[in-house]
Amino acid sequence: MIVKLEAFTPNPKELIRKAVSITTMTEWTSDWSKFFKMLIKRGAESPLEHVSFTFFISDVSRALTHQLVRHRIASYTQESQRYVKYDKGFRYVIPPSIEKDDELNNVFRKHMVDCANIYHFLVVHGVPPEDARFVLPNACHTSIYVTMNLRELRHFFKVRLSQFAQWEIRELARQMYEIVKKIIPEALYDINVPSG
Ligand SMILES: Cc1cc2nc3c(=O)[nH]c(=O)nc-3n(C[C@H](O)[C@H](O)[C@H](O)COP(=O)(O)OP(=O)(O)OC[C@H]3O[C@@H](n4cnc5c(N)ncnc54)[C@H](O)[C@@H]3O)c2cc1C
């Protein structure tokens, strides 16, 4: 899994402070920790929407991105399986529960090769990639750009860092969380990576 921060709003704390300053909600405090606690505890989170983060995410499964794009308050651009031809095969994610067992691993890998061969067979017989892709599995690698504002990121982290979330998107959320936390830790004071 590759997770790279491509861009983010410059001086994010200062921008949020400016947005808050036009309300009559509070006196300015120079303590960022107190400031973000005050906003978040009151549920006054709209100023966080002015700050956004853009990530490039790659070498993840289509199973992951199918879950990711359910988050509606975000912008996405994903590698197209209509325009990319997988005529030299495709790369894929092997879940750890399969990879740890030789027999399961072999069956899984063989199925990936079969999918790639059928895809190739269809394409050389004139089937367009947009139709041949119907045989590609959820495990197939993909790349996606995602832009989320800080308010949505907080929501995304809460639901996708959870122990109830699926392992691959949980790992993505963890990596994104660590990146955002380095830039604006005060805005994530109430969100942690659950252990286990
Ligand atoms: C552990 C787990 C299991 C899941 N299992 C399934 C499953 O089996 N099947 C399935 O289909 N999905 C499943 N999902 C996806 C889940 O239902 C959501 O679609 C997904 O997490 C996107 O989050 P969201 O809807 O909270 O908010 P986002 O789209 O990220 O939006 C953020 C917030 O904005 C508000 N919002 C956005 N749009 C609307 C709207 N139209 N109306 C009202 N409020 C809105 C809500 O408060 C929402 O929480 C699962 C998610 C998790 C974390």
Side-chain angles (χ1 to χ4, degrees), residues 66-74 76 148 151-152 155-156 158-166 169:
H66 186 73
Q67 298 172 80
L68 176 64
V69 301
R70 293 294 302 279
H71 291 277
R72 293 159 286 183
I73 321 293
Y76 303 99
M148 280 187 189
R151 186 180 194 178
E152 176 65 3
H155 172 70
F156 176 75
K158 281 183 189 166
V159 294
R160 298 301 183 176
L161 286 172
S162 149
Q163 57 171 323
F164 299 111
Q166 181 260 349
I169 197 165

Side-chain angles (χ1 to χ4, degrees), residues 28-42:
W28 162 240
T29 161
S30 56
D31 182 332
W32 288 115
S33 248
K34 272 192 191 162
F35 174 73
F36 280 101
K37 272 186 191 158
M38 177 276 297
L39 279 186
I40 290 163
K41 278 192 175 156
R42 291 183 192 193

